[in-house]
Amino acid sequence: MEKLQQLQGVAAPLPRANIDTDIITPAKRLLDANRETMHQHTFEPLRFLADGSENPEFILNKPGYRDAVILITGRNFGCGSSRETAVWGLRGLGIRCVIAESFGDIFFNNCFQNSVLPIRLPGETIAELLTEAGDDQGNMQFQVDVAARTLTTPSGRSITFDLTPDRQTALLEGLDEVGQTMKEDAATAAFQLEDRVARPWIYNLGSVD
Amino acid sequence: MSQPTTLFHKLWQSHVVRSLGEDLDLLHVDRHLIHDLSGARALTDLQERGLAVRNPELCIATPDHSISSQPGRTLASSPFGERLGGGLQKMAEAAGIPFFGLDHRNQGIVHVVGPETGFTLPGSLLVCGDSHTSTHGALGALAWGIGSSEVVHVLATQTVRQRRPRTMRITVDGELGEGVEAKDVILHIIGHLGVAAGTGHAVEYAGSTIAALGIEARMTICNLSIEFGARMGMIAPDETTFAYLQDRPLVPRNMPGDPTWDRALAYWRGLRSDDDAVFDREVSIDAADIAPQVTWGTSPGQTLAVTGSIPRPDSFVEAEERNNTEVALEYMGLSGGQPIAGTKVDRVFIGSCTNSRLSDLRRAAAVAQGRTVASHVTAWVVPGSVPVKEAAENEGLDQIFLAAGFEWREPGCAQCVATNGETVAPGERCVSTSNRNFVGRQGPKARTHLAGPAMAAAAAIAGEITDVRQLAAVGEES
Ligand code: SF4
């Protein structure tokens, strides 16, 4: 996984609640797009008009916000389907940090698998951040420091966010979970050895043939 | 004496391989379901990393999302069937994972196949790269949906890293009214609590109403847990559960001299929350308050009793709610203040991992029997699996549907998510027994109303959203 230590850039305000992963990556795009091309369809129902042209009203299409690295949005962002393509698409658009009052659980987890930092902050703070991000046509610079767990706004305000130590380390060092867990295989083998005696029905499946 | 604990904690504790920090554990995965939408990709990723599937015998793979539901279908009948369904077959067989392909007698939607084959067991930890994996909690399993990176992790290690969620118990007591079914119970709960109320929680459903439900109805309840954000939903296994499982092909056999089944039963009977167990949140619902539901908006929480009226945006105090309602009404082509009943529909879809099991089809067929689908409506019945389809045909349900003018189709996800190309056309209105009425879920600009199978069948007959309890008796002039 790629490291994420510091981030600096524009934050796009998208003040809308319950943006589900069907909006972030519509189902019909799951089939023919891959990690590299998914961003072409990200936010499709919001980002494009019926004729396929860009919707000038959508924040990421506006001058100043096209290169945003942070998204500030409404509560329950990323709810719904487990599709990890939602995070791939955001990353492909250059978004490395999403700030919201709350997130869908699976989306929140998927972010950390793809070096994207989701930050939960109280509703009042989000409202203030949305205002700051909306000022001055998006020329305002936000900063994220993963090691210090701080978000610094253009006006110089510093906000501390929650991040568990294991996730912080994984982001800072770009650790891969599969590789990490493979090292624990002796523990898994020991668990199974005991468990085969305690719960044999888990391992001795019947047959459908 | 030990602390009283919840069902959730018992299930969690029995799967800890190693603690990885505060509230973060490495858990053993007993059961892994794999489908065509992400399966081939995950298995290919694994191969490219030079890794093997650690326990292929604890997995099942079946195509459901990408395949056509057309009678006489092959993999080639849908745009991506060959690539995704065929790809899954190739990769699963190479890895030694049991594969139920289109010609297999157990093919179907993963969340129908797991329980009905006996793959899903009480007390098992089950994951799948699909958010509706919460369905399996209906049998007392610890089950949740994971992302595609985690699928690769499970394939390689047979474990999952998971943070311990908070606990919530939703107790539903009392008798359900006439015409009220499990789908109405869970839509009512979501409408009542809001779509994010379950976030970060493992939810246990309890109470006399839940205990009286059959296993398939319990699956409908647990299936929609994710629609109010819950990470998982579960119901303590009981005699109904054990009777359901008894003769399923994948459960341990009770051979003479092999007491595995009896041992399992004894273990499963201990899987319940202790009387004094404490939950982080408790909610009580009175069954008498629940009416047949139908959704009016673009989120499962935007639901109302079929006898009710669509809310007006100005009835909400909060600006955000007002705005959400306006946007949803515009998308749905509805006006606030109108009764929901009488809304004309173009399509009806009876199917999906929420409501495509035999008991669901029986309830829909009871409504369809002797009646005719309105001439302007296209109505589909898509059984959840091959065994469901065969059982329904043995009872003659297919004949009832066909005589009424419904299409009787082949098992799969079909119009629930329309990744197989079976979309609802832009602007069309569909009453669907599935679980998501999101913008564009059934196709670009498709308008979805969620309801239970009886209500969906009633909408097909009436040609409009209608209270199934008010449907004119067979033979009566309408
Ligand atoms: S039926 Fe629908 S919700 Fe269920 S697994 Fe298939 S696509 Fe997902």
Side-chain angles (χ1 to χ4, degrees):
Chain A
M1 196 176 74
E2 206 177 317
K3 293 177 183 176
L4 180 66
Q5 297 171 335
Q6 309 260 350
L7 190 63
Q8 176 167 354
V10 167
L14 182 60
R16 178 171 162 160
N18 302 321
I19 293 186
D20 55 68
T21 53
D22 274 79
I23 293 179
I24 307 173
T25 40
K28 64 173 177 185
R29 301 300 184 187
L30 300 180
L31 304 162
D32 53 349
N34 55 35
R35 206 180 275 264
E36 283 65 46
T37 59
M38 193 54 77
H39 65 277
Q40 294 166 2
H41 312 292
T42 302
F43 292 123
E44 185 169 318
L46 306 174
R47 196 165 133 217
F48 302 105
L49 298 171
D51 64 1
S53 65
E54 279 191 359
N55 173 6
E57 293 305 311
F58 184 62
I59 188 70
L60 294 175
N61 290 335
K62 291 188 182 175
Y65 292 104
R66 303 186 79 96
D67 297 322
V69 295
I70 298 171
L71 190 69
I72 307 174
T73 185
R75 68 188 141 74
N76 204 26
F77 185 81
C79 59
S81 162
S82 58
R83 59 191 70 162
E84 199 161 316
T85 48
V87 187
W88 298 355
L90 288 172
R91 260 216 74 168
L93 286 179
I95 305 286
R96 295 295 294 277
C97 171
V98 186
I99 306 175
E101 192 179 335
S102 61
F103 293 90
D105 274 341
I106 305 176
F107 174 85
F108 191 77
N109 223 1
N110 285 342
C111 282
F112 291 103
Q113 310 285 345
N114 293 280
S115 192
V116 171
L117 170 67
I119 298 179
R120 279 193 210 110
L121 292 173
E124 312 87 74
T125 314
I126 299 282
E128 291 157 15
L129 291 176
L130 284 169
T131 312
E132 252 194 86
D135 282 352
D136 201 28
Q137 286 85 47
N139 292 319
M140 315 285 276
Q141 299 285 305
F142 285 73
Q143 284 176 19
V144 175
D145 185 328
V146 177
R149 291 192 289 110
T150 54
L151 167 75
T152 310
T153 72
S155 65
R157 179 174 168 203
S158 176
I159 299 164
T160 306
F161 54 84
D162 284 337
L163 182 64
T164 57
D166 59 298
R167 282 173 161 158
Q168 186 181 38
T169 311
L171 285 174
L172 289 171
E173 297 177 19
L175 293 180
D176 167 68
E177 286 193 354
V178 175
Q180 295 281 98
T181 306
M182 296 284 289
K183 293 187 208 146
E184 308 281 351
D185 198 60
T188 307
F191 177 94
Q192 287 191 347
L193 202 64
E194 246 179 67
D195 200 37
R196 276 177 202 276
V197 179
R199 300 187 307 151
W201 54 89
I202 294 296
Y203 303 89
N204 303 334
L205 283 84
S207 154
V208 289
D209 304 315
Chain B
M1 215 181 77
S2 61
Q3 272 296 94
T5 49
T6 61
L7 166 64
F8 165 76
H9 282 102
K10 292 181 188 180
L11 297 178
W12 183 278
Q13 249 4 87
S14 62
H15 291 90
V16 176
V17 170
R18 212 167 96 74
S19 164
L20 299 175
E22 200 190 337
D23 279 347
L24 174 66
D25 287 316
L26 187 67
L27 301 172
H28 185 260
V29 172
D30 301 334
R31 297 284 184 263
H32 185 189
L33 283 164
I34 301 166
H35 59 78
D36 50 350
L37 201 55
S38 59
R41 181 73 254 162
L43 286 161
T44 308
D45 277 358
L46 192 74
Q47 200 179 50
E48 282 170 1
R49 297 177 65 151
L51 300 171
V53 179
R54 194 185 188 287
N55 289 99
E57 74 284 8
L58 301 181
C59 307
I60 282 182
T62 187
D64 53 7
H65 285 69
S66 74
I67 53 172
S68 166
S69 69
Q70 207 176 7
R73 66 166 178 208
T74 64
L75 285 178
S77 312
S78 59
F80 296 93
E82 279 181 314
R83 209 185 86 200
L84 294 175
L88 179 63
Q89 171 157 23
K90 198 173 121 246
M91 295 305 296
E93 285 177 355
I97 293 170
F99 177 76
F100 302 164
L102 288 196
D103 51 359
H104 194 281
R105 64 165 186 253
N106 289 102
Q107 180 270 333
I109 306 173
V110 274
H111 308 310
V112 176
V113 170
E116 106 186 330
T117 54
F119 183 69
T120 308
L121 293 178
S124 63
L125 190 157
L126 182 149
V127 295
C128 172
D130 185 276
S131 57
H132 293 100
T133 307
S134 55
T135 310
H136 306 262
L139 287 99
L142 192 64
W144 71 94
I146 56 178
S148 54
S149 294
E150 289 176 302
V151 169
V152 175
H153 186 280
V154 175
L155 288 169
T157 68
Q158 204 55 35
T159 63
V160 61
R161 291 168 173 247
Q162 187 70 9
R163 250 152 267 267
R164 189 186 304 241
R166 292 184 294 277
T167 54
M168 183 193 300
R169 177 161 60 186
I170 300 180
T171 307
V172 191
D173 278 314
E175 220 170 293
L176 292 173
E178 185 213 331
V180 179
E181 50 180 270
K183 183 67 159 288
D184 305 312
V185 174
I186 188 65
L187 283 175
H188 173 92
I189 290 173
I190 299 169
H192 183 75
L193 296 180
V195 287
T199 306
H201 286 82
V203 174
E204 179 178 346
Y205 301 94
S208 63
T209 314
I210 304 292
L213 294 176
I215 294 302
E216 296 185 350
R218 294 182 193 180
M219 286 191 228
T220 302
I221 303 240
C222 289
N223 176 274
L224 272 102
S225 302
I226 182 75
E227 304 310 334
F228 62 106
R231 201 176 301 168
M232 41 194 109
M234 67 196 75
I235 295 170
D238 58 11
E239 297 310 314
T240 309
T241 319
F242 310 141
Y244 171 90
L245 280 172
Q246 183 110 46
D247 295 316
R248 308 274 157 188
L250 293 182
V251 300
R253 305 283 78 196
N254 203 12
M255 305 294 284
D258 172 12
T260 306
W261 172 259
D262 291 333
R263 274 185 63 198
L265 261 186
Y267 181 92
W268 294 341
R269 287 201 168 103
L271 297 176
R272 46 183 294 279
S273 290
D274 297 331
D275 290 342
D276 302 323
V278 178
F279 291 78
D280 295 313
R281 186 170 174 202
E282 292 252 25
V283 176
S284 290
I285 305 275
D286 185 347
D289 293 342
I290 307 172
Q293 300 283 304
V294 58
T295 63
W296 57 268
T298 54
S299 153
Q302 291 173 325
T303 180
L304 53 90
V306 64
T307 49
S309 292
I310 302 161
R312 292 178 204 277
D314 60 18
S315 66
F316 295 94
V317 191
E318 243 189 276
E320 192 189 289
E321 284 278 349
R322 223 178 301 141
N323 186 38
N324 284 346
T325 305
E326 248 165 53
V327 173
L329 288 178
E330 199 200 314
Y331 181 84
M332 293 298 290
L334 297 170
S335 350
Q338 298 290 315
I340 187 81
T343 307
K344 200 164 161 248
V345 305
D346 307 298
R347 281 190 169 265
V348 167
F349 170 61
I350 297 174
S352 90
C353 58
T354 310
N355 280 129
S356 65
R357 299 179 182 83
L358 187 60
S359 57
D360 300 314
L361 303 191
R362 281 183 185 149
R363 285 196 309 284
V367 174
Q369 176 133 44
R371 297 189 168 104
T372 311
V373 171
S375 58
H376 65 277
V377 174
T378 306
W380 285 13
V381 184
V382 183
S385 68
V386 174
V388 170
K389 181 168 185 259
E390 286 173 357
E393 287 174 352
N394 285 337
E395 292 182 11
L397 303 187
D398 59 326
Q399 293 309 318
I400 295 174
F401 286 122
L402 287 166
F406 287 83
E407 288 185 31
W408 178 249
R409 301 180 65 97
E410 296 291 330
C413 299
Q415 214 156 44
C416 171
V417 67
T419 38
N420 62 352
E422 294 171 355
T423 51
V424 169
E428 274 189 344
R429 190 177 298 288
C430 179
V431 174
S432 174
T433 65
S434 55
N435 44 46
R436 284 189 177 138
N437 52 352
F438 293 166
V439 167
R441 171 76 178 185
Q442 293 190 292
K445 303 235 163 13
R447 293 163 168 162
T448 305
H449 295 270
L450 303 176
M455 285 276 292
I461 305 295
E464 56 187 36
I465 292 175
T466 196
D467 187 340
V468 61
R469 300 166 299 186
Q470 305 292 316
L471 205 62
V474 177
E476 211 174 273
E477 287 295 313
S478 60

